[in-house]
Amino acid sequence: MAPRIPALSPDRASLMTRLMYRITRGRFGEVPEPFTVTARHPGLLLAGAVHETLLERASHTLPASVRELAVYWTARRIGCGWCVDFGSMLMRMEGLDLTRLTEIDDYATSSNFSADERAAIAYADAMTTDPHTVTDEQVDDLRHRFGDRGVVELTYQIGVENMRARMNTALGIAEQGFNSGDACRVPWA
């Protein structure tokens, strides 16, 4: 399935965009399709790249499994196949156990998820439901588990994933094969 807005091929991209493609390809093995579609608006491409870089550098309060499982749940809840694919790859790169993902629908009762992970996934679910169903008690519990800084980080990460997943699904961006081990689909091939 091709995205609703075509990817910008390197031969049509500016020098800055081609440089950003090279850096991204070096990091992930291929240029992520959301990146190539956003390249149609160079200012937003740059803003998004800076934001994602700063977000990654600042997000170290929470354990990686808590953060990544909450983001993964959000992507699944919205139905963004691209985000699920890419998120699974990021979890693999973090050294997290991906076999647990087959039981994520049963996170509330599965012994494969810690109490902290269950609380974060439940919060992601409550934030992603429209309208949201976040409660004072839920936030108080998260503050006890992760502190104020951790709750802000978790909330920010879930909110950003809501934006990413909704943008990608609206633009028709599908899985790219990042977690399959297969070669990624080259968007402009």
Side-chain angles (χ1 to χ4, degrees), residues 69-143:
L69 286 168
V71 168
Y72 181 86
W73 179 269
T74 302
R76 283 185 74 243
R77 184 89 160 97
I78 292 170
C80 180
W82 190 91
C83 297
V84 167
D85 175 41
F86 194 75
S88 298
M89 179 200 67
L90 292 177
M91 284 190 267
R92 183 174 38 81
M93 290 172 67
E94 289 267 1
L96 302 177
D97 178 10
L98 297 183
T99 60
R100 300 185 312 153
L101 299 180
T102 62
E103 295 183 34
I104 199 158
D105 287 332
D106 300 318
Y107 76 88
T109 57
S110 172
S111 61
N112 284 323
F113 298 94
S114 71
D116 287 350
E117 290 167 344
R118 284 196 220 54
I121 295 168
Y123 187 58
D125 192 55
M127 272 186 69
T128 306
T129 300
D130 189 21
H132 79 80
T133 57
V134 174
T135 65
D136 291 341
E137 295 78 20
Q138 193 172 33
V139 173
D140 287 343
D141 176 57
L142 292 168
R143 287 180 76 197

Side-chain angles (χ1 to χ4, degrees), residues 2 21 32 35 39 110-111 126 133 135 141 145 150 157-158 160 168 172:
Y21 281 8
F35 203 82
S110 172
S111 61
T133 57
T135 65
D141 176 57
R145 292 172 187 281
Q157 286 281 349
I158 294 166
V160 168
N168 291 341

Side-chain angles (χ1 to χ4, degrees), residues 51-52 55 127 155-165:
H51 178 256
E52 289 290 346
L55 178 60
M127 272 186 69
T155 304
Y156 199 94
Q157 286 281 349
I158 294 166
V160 168
E161 185 56 31
N162 264 275
M163 179 198 69
R164 288 185 201 116

